Amino acid sequence: MGLLFGTVEYFESELTSGKQTGNEVPSQIYLNLEKEIRFDFICDEQLRSQCLQNLTIAYKKLTDSRLAV
């Protein structure tokens, strides 16, 4: 089963996918996703807020794990 869009796990996957391809660093991916959710994604405001919150949680988990290494 695939990851559901908007979940913390989905955003963790998106943030780390740039590392594998070498195209973007997680901070760039985070900023791009945040911009897309805020300005391009057409949805209910409650869903938008939840997606932004989950994106932030995923980014913090990723940066915290990097600091622990």
Side-chain angles (χ1 to χ4, degrees):
M1 181 173 188
L3 298 173
L4 295 176
F5 175 80
T7 61
V8 173
E9 293 79 13
Y10 173 83
F11 289 123
E12 286 175 338
S13 172
E14 289 295 306
L15 290 168
T16 57
S17 66
K19 270 196 316 193
Q20 296 167 352
T21 62
N23 294 336
E24 291 183 297
V25 295
S27 59
Q28 290 174 321
I29 297 170
Y30 172 83
L31 292 173
N32 289 340
L33 286 170
E34 181 184 33
K35 180 183 170 221
E36 287 177 14
I37 293 169
R38 286 189 189 278
F39 302 111
D40 299 334
F41 186 50
I42 299 171
C43 65
D44 179 70
E45 285 304 313
Q46 186 176 4
L47 177 59
R48 183 183 323 278
S49 176
Q50 187 67 45
C51 285
L52 288 168
Q53 182 180 6
N54 288 345
L55 173 60
T56 301
I57 290 168
Y59 184 69
K60 285 183 180 180
K61 285 175 70 174
L62 179 66
T63 56
D64 288 349
S65 69
R66 286 179 154 199
L67 292 175
V69 173

